[in-house]
Amino acid sequence: MSRFFTPTLAALTPYTPGEQLAVADLVKLNANENPYPPAPGVAAAVGDAVAGLRLYSDLRQTKLTEAIARRCGVPASWVLCGNGSDENLLLAIRAFCDGGTPLAFADITYSFYPVLCDLLGVPKRVVPLRGDFTLDPADYRGLGAAIVIANPNAPTSLLAPTAAVEEILQANPDRVVIVDEAYVDFAGPGASCLPLVKDHENLLVVRTFSKSRSLAGARLGFCVGQPGLIADMNRVKFSYSPYNINSMSEAAGAAAMEDEDYFRRTVAAICETRAAAAAGLRDRGWQVLDSATNFLFARPPRRPAAEILEALRRRRVLIRHFDAPRIRDWLRISIGTPAQMQRFFDALDEAEGAAPAAR
């Protein structure tokens, strides 16, 4: 770094994403990307948007916002779009944690939350999960803080019931509660907190197109909340990045949101593959948490997790390991296509030198 970098930011530890390697014949199961292409209409929609690139993009992302609002069953004024859900998280934390208000989050969760706090100078309140990695709503009472909950959680893959989230909302009526639902589409019916938005002015639900909509490269996300919260976040957005979404990403997102049949088919395929992969790991003696996401969080029975990570990497299979307290013995494995998961298991059996037990 240069000598001109501010001392505060020089001490910042940036977020570490999954490896992005340009290697032939690579099975990439380390970033929770969708293994299937975007909906068929996305390419044509992006192509149609090219002619308009000489103009600035729509400040309000009208077409995309209206498509999201229809799908979520809310007015368009309850929706804000962002450059990935990470930007919406930044906007929310900037809007609702200014002036020394802390942000509370679990000790094992999306590691971007503490990075954003450090970047924005927001105090942190770290709330330990239970021993089984589940959330206890009672731990979120009386914190005097805004709260962010990844639900389903990453990297644990576990889902907290909506009743638990509502308990937290009711215990914190004067603080914003952000529910980060990046993976909720893989959790089944009744998992989303969206139905709670109409009754709780302090609830903000954050979603992404990167997982279930196959648009990680488009950098597109959205959030849903009552109009007051959305107006607050728009005020921040228009103060630093009014044209935060380009025209092609908006077109891609609208087309993906409209194709509900394709969305349901690909989500179902991933959930089916997830179940088979979890069974395969358990047959090999692994401990696997009950996933509500497009990845598995699993603990190997014999070799250290970091060794298995490197053994698979040498065989051109990437998964994810977090060298952090409480989860050093665990690995996160994104769900790929059935063929990709077979490659994973072939490499795993070769690395471990053992075949699965008979069922």
Side-chain angles (χ1 to χ4, degrees):
M1 64 186 74
S2 79
R3 61 188 176 90
F4 305 104
F5 203 34
T6 66
T8 301
L9 294 184
L12 182 69
T13 301
Y15 169 70
T16 303
E19 286 183 284
Q20 302 289 333
L21 299 182
V23 178
D25 197 32
L26 183 72
V27 176
K28 194 169 180 296
L29 306 176
N30 68 329
N32 299 341
E33 296 145 324
N34 196 308
Y36 298 105
V42 168
V46 171
D48 291 343
V50 169
L53 289 183
R54 65 182 183 83
L55 303 173
Y56 284 109
S57 57
D58 179 3
L59 285 167
R60 298 287 180 181
Q61 297 89 43
T62 305
K63 185 176 181 179
L64 175 60
T65 298
E66 291 177 350
I68 293 167
R70 285 193 296 272
R71 187 67 62 205
C72 295
V74 297
S77 61
W78 292 42
V79 176
L80 182 143
C81 299
N83 187 250
S85 61
D86 289 341
E87 183 183 52
N88 284 334
L89 291 166
L90 184 150
L91 293 173
I93 295 170
R94 186 68 183 87
F96 307 123
C97 293
D98 194 25
T101 298
L103 181 70
F105 48 84
D107 62 333
I108 304 169
T109 192
Y110 184 29
S111 56
F112 201 54
Y113 304 151
V115 172
L116 286 174
C117 286
D118 291 342
L119 178 67
L120 298 173
V122 171
K124 301 184 285 285
R125 295 283 185 274
V126 179
V127 183
L129 295 174
R130 296 177 174 123
D132 61 357
F133 300 146
T134 58
L135 174 151
D136 186 348
D139 292 337
Y140 289 83
R141 295 176 186 156
L143 295 178
I147 296 166
V148 60
I149 301 166
N151 197 42
N153 194 23
T156 67
S157 81
L158 298 177
L159 177 75
T162 55
V165 176
E166 188 159 29
E167 184 178 335
I168 293 170
L169 285 163
Q170 292 169 345
N172 297 274
D174 298 321
R175 300 293 181 182
V176 170
V177 177
I178 305 164
V179 180
D180 184 353
E181 293 191 340
Y183 300 99
V184 78
D185 290 326
F186 304 101
S192 176
C193 290
L194 273 177
L196 303 179
V197 169
K198 66 181 185 301
D199 296 323
H200 296 278
E201 64 175 350
N202 61 327
L203 172 60
L204 185 74
V205 175
V206 177
R207 294 279 195 91
T208 180
F209 283 76
S210 297
K211 315 303 181 185
S212 58
R213 302 281 175 177
S214 304
L215 289 176
R219 305 311 308 128
L220 195 59
F222 67 94
C223 55
V224 177
Q226 291 195 18
L229 295 186
I230 299 302
D232 295 341
M233 293 174 64
N234 266 318
R235 189 178 182 92
V236 176
K237 185 190 88 167
F238 283 109
S239 297
Y240 93 102
S241 183
Y243 297 101
N244 63 331
I245 296 174
N246 68 69
S247 301
M248 292 185 293
S249 288
E250 180 185 0
M257 187 59 69
E258 295 288 4
D259 196 337
E260 186 72 7
D261 288 341
Y262 182 81
F263 160 76
R264 291 186 183 278
R265 288 199 305 272
T266 53
V267 167
I270 290 168
C271 290
E272 183 178 349
T273 306
R274 179 184 71 195
L281 286 173
R282 289 178 179 131
D283 286 346
R284 289 162 172 81
W286 288 50
Q287 180 182 356
V288 184
L289 299 188
D290 292 329
S291 175
T293 64
N294 68 336
F295 60 87
L296 298 174
F297 200 53
R299 182 163 60 181
R302 291 174 291 276
R303 295 178 61 186
E307 287 187 13
I308 290 178
L309 175 87
E310 290 304 320
L312 292 178
R313 194 175 188 275
R314 290 193 296 270
R315 291 164 175 83
R316 298 177 185 246
V317 175
L318 296 184
I319 59 174
R320 192 79 190 267
H321 176 246
F322 298 89
D323 187 14
R326 300 183 65 189
I327 57 172
R328 287 192 178 93
D329 296 335
W330 295 76
L331 292 164
R332 194 191 71 187
I333 305 153
S334 303
I335 300 300
T337 63
Q340 288 173 327
M341 299 313 294
Q342 187 59 56
R343 276 276 308 277
F344 162 76
F345 278 114
D346 289 345
L348 179 64
D349 290 340
E350 183 179 307
E352 291 194 306
R359 299 190 73 179

